[in-house]
């Protein structure tokens, strides 16, 4: 245990409330949308996935998030803020905390990182179908939860690492609050784990709902033990209230097994 991850953070925090924040719009989100609209096979991202920064709009969204978080009464503020180590999430967390004026250190935990895509990294759906037709067929056959690209992760793999994160929250009941800053797939899969969803339920949710950039999802557990209750999901009103654009950068909606 050390001060670079969730374990120590939660030992000082506990879990009666859990806030899940998706990072602000990233340069990768913008590049992926441009590639899809252009019918390109490759997404021209400026860096490896872990190093992709927020876009200018993403920074505005993170500041607006921080302004909204500053309204939380001091007694109800998160005692720990833990981020995916990926640049876009870390930047969102640091900008939001600084804007909110919270005296809390942003910690990192690699278990909160985005899903790894292996050989399909940087490819659009068209690129996958063109360059790896067998993988495209296998993905359709297996569905999003269980398909694992070579060198990458399935959603089930991501859920497995998240279970250890959530287990730490579930076994500590010091009566405090935690905020996790992460990615759209991670938020979907936290719901999958905490709510005991079936494969069909989580894929139905993924097919119909996009996790908005800089959105807030909130779980409560007043007793500090037992099951969590979803209080709000995918809320981005704090952006529109401040005149900041809400962005929707979703993944492939073809998620169910064929």
């Amino acid at each position: 245990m050390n001060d670079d991850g969730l374990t120590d953070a939660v030992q000082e925090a506990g879990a009666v409330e859990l806030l899940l924040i998706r990072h602000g719009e990233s340069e990768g989100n913008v590049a992926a949308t441009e590639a899809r609209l252009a019918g390109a096979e490759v997404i021209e991202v400026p860096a490896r996935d872990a190093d992709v920064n927020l876009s200018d709009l993403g920074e505005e969204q993170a500041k607006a998030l921080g302004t909204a978080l500053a309204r939380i009464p001091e007694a109800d503020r998160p005692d720990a803020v833990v981020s995916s180590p990926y640049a876009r999430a870390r930047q969102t967390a640091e900008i939001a905390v600084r804007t909110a004026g919270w005296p809390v250190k942003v910690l990192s935990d690699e278990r909160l990182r985005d899903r790894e895509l292996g050989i399909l990294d940087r490819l659009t759906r068209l690129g996958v179908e063109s360059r790896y037709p067998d993988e495209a067929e296998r993905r359709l056959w297996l569905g999003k939860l269980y398909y694992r690209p070579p060198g990458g992760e399935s959603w089930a793999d991501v859920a497995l690492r998240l279970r250890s994160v959530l287990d730490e929250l579930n076994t500590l009941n010091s009566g405090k609050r935690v905020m996790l800053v992460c990615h759209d797939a991670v938020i979907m899969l936290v719901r999958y784990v905490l709510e005991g969803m079936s494969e069909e339920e989580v894929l139905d949710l993924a097919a119909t709902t996009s996790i908005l950039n800089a959105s807030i999802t909130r779980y409560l557990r007043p007793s500090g033990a037992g099951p969590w209750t979803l209080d709000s999901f995918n809320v981005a009103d704090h952006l529109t209230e401040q005149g900041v654009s809400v962005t929707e950068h979703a993944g492939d909606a073809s998620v169910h097994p064929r």
Side-chain angles (χ1 to χ4, degrees):
M1 297 181 184
N2 55 55
D3 61 3
D4 294 326
L6 185 62
T7 301
D8 284 350
V10 172
Q11 286 202 339
E12 297 177 359
V16 297
E17 180 177 0
L18 177 60
L19 294 179
L20 302 167
I21 310 293
R22 186 187 180 189
H23 61 79
E25 182 188 69
S26 71
E27 293 177 343
N29 291 150
V30 175
T33 297
E34 290 175 348
R36 178 178 56 81
L37 293 175
E41 294 186 5
V42 176
I43 302 168
E44 297 297 339
V45 291
R48 65 173 186 157
D49 195 29
D51 299 326
V52 171
N53 293 320
L54 292 176
S55 67
D56 291 342
L57 176 56
E59 292 184 7
E60 290 182 28
Q61 292 170 337
K63 291 175 184 176
L65 171 65
T67 298
L69 295 176
R71 302 172 192 154
I72 299 175
E74 184 173 355
D76 297 331
R77 292 175 184 170
D79 305 276
V81 177
V82 188
S83 172
S84 158
Y86 283 17
R88 54 192 179 276
R90 182 85 188 193
Q91 290 164 358
T92 300
E94 290 175 345
I95 292 170
V97 165
R98 183 169 63 249
T99 303
W102 290 353
V104 61
K105 178 183 177 182
V106 176
L107 303 177
S108 294
D109 192 310
E110 76 286 342
R111 292 172 296 176
L112 300 176
R113 72 189 185 277
D114 209 351
R115 176 192 175 208
E116 296 179 0
L117 297 176
I119 65 169
L120 307 187
D121 189 29
R122 299 178 64 237
L123 296 182
T124 63
R125 181 175 181 177
L126 178 63
V128 174
E129 291 171 348
S130 174
R131 301 181 182 207
Y132 299 104
D134 290 345
E135 288 302 315
E137 183 66 22
R138 195 163 68 90
R139 182 171 66 173
L140 287 173
W141 172 252
L142 293 174
K144 187 105 174 185
L145 185 63
Y146 294 122
Y147 170 70
R148 180 189 295 122
E153 295 177 295
S154 67
W155 267 24
D157 294 327
V158 177
L160 182 61
R161 54 178 157 92
L162 292 176
R163 287 184 188 277
S164 67
V165 175
L166 297 171
D167 184 60
E168 291 178 9
L169 300 178
N170 289 336
T171 55
L172 295 169
N173 60 356
S174 61
K176 297 186 181 178
R177 307 165 196 276
V178 175
M179 184 170 89
L180 306 181
V181 184
C182 48
H183 308 270
D184 56 346
V186 171
I187 294 171
M188 285 285 187
L189 291 167
V190 167
R191 286 203 59 179
Y192 168 74
V193 173
L194 289 186
E195 298 175 39
M197 290 183 174
S198 66
E199 176 188 12
E200 183 177 6
E201 287 170 334
V202 72
L203 295 184
D204 283 347
L205 180 65
T208 58
T209 306
S210 299
I211 306 297
L212 304 173
N213 290 114
S215 63
I216 302 173
T217 295
R218 183 174 184 241
Y219 280 93
L220 296 175
R221 186 177 62 172
S223 69
W228 291 90
T229 299
L230 181 66
D231 177 71
S232 57
F233 174 55
N234 201 26
V235 175
D237 294 350
H238 50 283
L239 301 182
T240 54
E241 289 169 358
Q242 298 177 62
V244 177
S245 297
V246 175
T247 49
E248 181 177 349
H249 293 282
D252 190 346
S254 179
V255 296
H256 291 88
R258 190 175 59 191

